[in-house]
Amino acid sequence: MLVFGSLYALALNPQTRFADWVGYRVTAASQSGRNSLNRNWLHRAKHLTIEAQDYEGSEYSMGHLCPLASVRADADAWEVNWTGAVAPQRQALNAGPWLEFEEYCRQLARQHDLVHVMCGTLYQHDMPPLPKSDEHHIVPSHFWARLFVPATEELVHWIMPQDAGRRDSHTEYIVKRSDFTRQTRLVFSDDV
């Protein structure tokens, strides 16, 4: 199911109950400001997503696929707290290389004014489910990301496993375009 918000577009997968992909843009202006948005989780499309309380007592954090810090200046920043725009990420990944990747995107946007980002979920092996969830769901084993900087035509791809270490650098998970395509089975218009 495709969902279009004012800050992002995403494809929600009803079998996994998480987004297959999220696309958004980061600008110098979108990240400047002090939006003090609380974590008031929105649970729209309840039949397609899991609930915030399902994460309680699990080994996973609610990993934003479109991070608040990248869009905090926008009046619609609350959209990033929809449960369909997050996915389970182990704490070390979420607070380690994934956070570093997000900051890298923001840094590039401050330097070049615009960065296009896409990221999503991969299911290469089974992961423990959220123990409090009463809905069927499938936790991703990996996350992928792709960024494009129009000003420099820089294009970078990542694949990060759930078992990434807290001190791992996001650069350890940069992959060649061909490996990205092979592992994700995603083909973008600039790939053909």
Side-chain angles (χ1 to χ4, degrees), residues 7 28-35 68-77:
L7 300 178
S30 71
Q31 58 185 300
S32 62
R34 292 251 182 244
N35 189 331
L68 175 60
S70 297
V71 296
R72 67 177 163 223
D74 196 289
D76 292 323

Side-chain angles (χ1 to χ4, degrees), residues 20-139:
D20 285 335
W21 58 262
V22 175
Y24 61 97
R25 36 184 245 153
V26 184
T27 66
S30 71
Q31 58 185 300
S32 62
R34 292 251 182 244
N35 189 331
S36 59
L37 186 67
N38 293 325
R39 295 288 189 235
N40 295 325
W41 298 105
L42 307 169
H43 189 60
R44 301 178 298 181
K46 295 178 181 181
H47 62 292
L48 297 174
T49 63
I50 62 171
E51 301 153 306
Q53 61 263 28
D54 292 342
Y55 286 83
E56 292 173 10
S58 78
E59 61 184 294
Y60 303 106
S61 297
M62 295 177 78
H64 282 92
L65 296 176
C66 177
L68 175 60
S70 297
V71 296
R72 67 177 163 223
D74 196 289
D76 292 323
W78 58 268
E79 286 183 353
V80 303
N81 285 339
W82 174 45
T83 55
V86 299
Q89 289 184 338
R90 285 187 170 149
Q91 182 59 31
L93 170 63
N94 186 265
W98 192 261
L99 179 63
E100 193 178 277
F101 149 75
E102 292 171 342
E103 179 52 39
Y104 179 65
C105 295
R106 289 189 288 273
Q107 175 189 1
L108 287 175
R110 288 189 296 271
Q111 291 172 346
H112 304 290
D113 193 48
L114 176 63
V115 175
H116 295 280
V117 182
M118 285 193 78
C119 58
T121 52
L122 278 177
Y123 302 88
Q124 295 183 351
H125 57 79
D126 292 340
M127 294 296 294
L130 297 166
K132 291 197 175 179
S133 179
D134 56 358
E135 299 92 2
H136 171 75
H137 65 280
I138 304 171
V139 172

